[in-house]
Amino acid sequence: MDPTLDYEQIGYAVADRVATVTLDRPEARNGYTVRMSDELAHALERADADPDVRVVVLTGAGRDFCVGADLSAGGLDLDGADPAAWDEPAGRCSMRIFAMNKPVIAAMRGAAVGAGSTIVLPADYRLASTDSRFGFVFSRRGLYPEGASTWFLPRLVGLGRALDWMVSGRVFDAEEALGAGLVHSLHEPDRVLDRAHELARELIANTAPVSVAVIRQLLYRMAPLDSPFPVRRLDSRLIAGAFTSPDAVEGILAFLQHRAPHWRGSVPADLPDGLPWR
């Protein structure tokens, strides 16, 4: 996507070091389109590259987060594409969230079904309203799961629950999502976005941006390995280098002096060298 192009189906705003990315088709209950997927991927890339952005909040305009693919909005951009090389739309967003160096907080209300459930799985936090509904409904449409959700979902809720939700394709409520660990907390519908921004401010005040960037990627990329030994080697190298980092010095001094830290590190500029995923 051309970086000078105005967004048509999402909103993008930065304030107080938080980038708020909003699915903005409330008249269609934020039905997911190819255009929306590309705009989301572009906005996430933009936020990740901006040193003034520390946290991203992903939300939806209106009463619903996203009701899934808008089947009335045209095809899937497959014309002339090689199916072996084509990237389906939900994955264009979910995989960009996976690759983020900055935390992503999803703030959802109302329906979060289909793409509305899959694109938020790689987020660091998923906050939902008490009236939220979720569903991986692909089996009920003769389709297949999207957005690498068959990789993400079992890691969040366990294989048994993932099998139930995906094989049945049933829609389930916010309490079931909370009990299974799909969402972190529930809030009244008019409080979800406020709480997401409060959480963003807590992360900005208390956590070092470079540490957060490395930690979220360590968890995603190293946890699936079949041995802890390569993880320990990387840990040792990172920790050995950390004590020459201004943020490590500041974090320890702030703790000893009982004051708030003042982080100097910037993402992506100050990420350590030698990270295997870079």
Side-chain angles (χ1 to χ4, degrees):
M1 169 178 282
D2 182 347
T4 65
L5 192 64
D6 290 336
Y7 299 129
E8 294 180 1
Q9 299 189 2
I10 70 167
Y12 184 89
V14 177
D16 300 323
R17 310 204 73 183
V18 179
T20 302
V21 180
T22 306
L23 282 62
D24 195 16
R25 301 184 69 226
E27 74 288 349
R29 302 177 70 194
N30 295 322
Y32 199 77
T33 69
V34 172
R35 172 88 191 192
M36 179 182 283
S37 75
D38 288 340
E39 291 186 358
L40 286 170
H42 183 275
L44 292 163
E45 180 83 27
R46 176 179 174 181
D48 214 19
D50 185 347
D52 290 331
V53 171
R54 284 285 319 274
V55 179
V56 175
V57 172
L58 178 63
T59 192
R63 295 169 55 185
D64 294 293
F65 176 66
C66 175
V67 295
D70 187 343
L71 301 178
S72 69
L76 292 178
D77 194 26
L78 264 170
D79 292 343
D82 176 2
W86 178 73
D87 288 328
E88 52 80 19
R92 300 178 198 182
C93 177
S94 67
M95 297 309 293
R96 190 61 193 80
I97 295 176
F98 170 80
M100 292 288 286
N101 289 307
K102 297 168 184 180
V104 177
I105 303 170
M108 300 168 286
R109 60 181 296 180
V113 177
S117 285
T118 60
I119 64 172
V120 299
L121 295 180
D124 301 78
Y125 296 91
R126 286 165 299 281
L127 279 53
S129 64
T130 52
D131 67 349
S132 291
R133 302 179 309 286
F134 302 88
F136 301 89
V137 296
F138 309 101
S139 65
R140 299 193 177 203
R141 306 290 183 267
L143 298 171
Y144 306 103
E146 62 192 4
S149 53
T150 54
W151 190 90
F152 290 111
L153 186 62
R155 285 167 169 77
L156 296 175
V157 303
L159 183 57
R161 187 64 62 104
L163 281 165
D164 171 21
W165 287 347
M166 285 198 160
V167 169
S168 72
R170 65 184 177 84
V171 173
F172 51 96
D173 64 18
E175 288 290 346
E176 184 172 348
L178 178 66
L182 178 63
V183 300
H184 293 83
S185 57
L186 299 182
H187 309 273
E188 291 303 312
D190 60 356
R191 279 284 299 149
V192 179
L193 186 56
D194 289 342
R195 178 55 192 136
H197 282 109
E198 289 169 7
L199 175 56
R201 289 192 292 272
E202 292 170 17
L203 294 174
I204 290 167
N206 296 312
T207 66
V210 176
S211 294
V212 168
V214 174
I215 288 167
R216 80 179 304 276
Q217 289 298 322
L218 281 172
L219 286 166
Y220 264 139
R221 297 177 186 266
M222 309 305 277
L225 298 184
D226 59 5
S227 165
F229 292 106
V231 186
R232 181 179 179 240
R233 292 312 324 146
L234 180 56
D235 290 348
S236 298
R237 184 154 49 83
L238 287 169
I239 293 167
F243 286 96
T244 62
S245 139
D247 277 352
V249 173
E250 171 63 12
I252 293 167
L253 283 176
F255 173 75
L256 293 175
Q257 296 171 1
H258 306 286
R259 61 171 174 80
H262 302 289
W263 309 115
R264 294 169 52 192
S266 176
V267 173
D270 295 320
L271 290 172
D273 295 329
L275 295 172
W277 54 85
R278 294 193 75 200

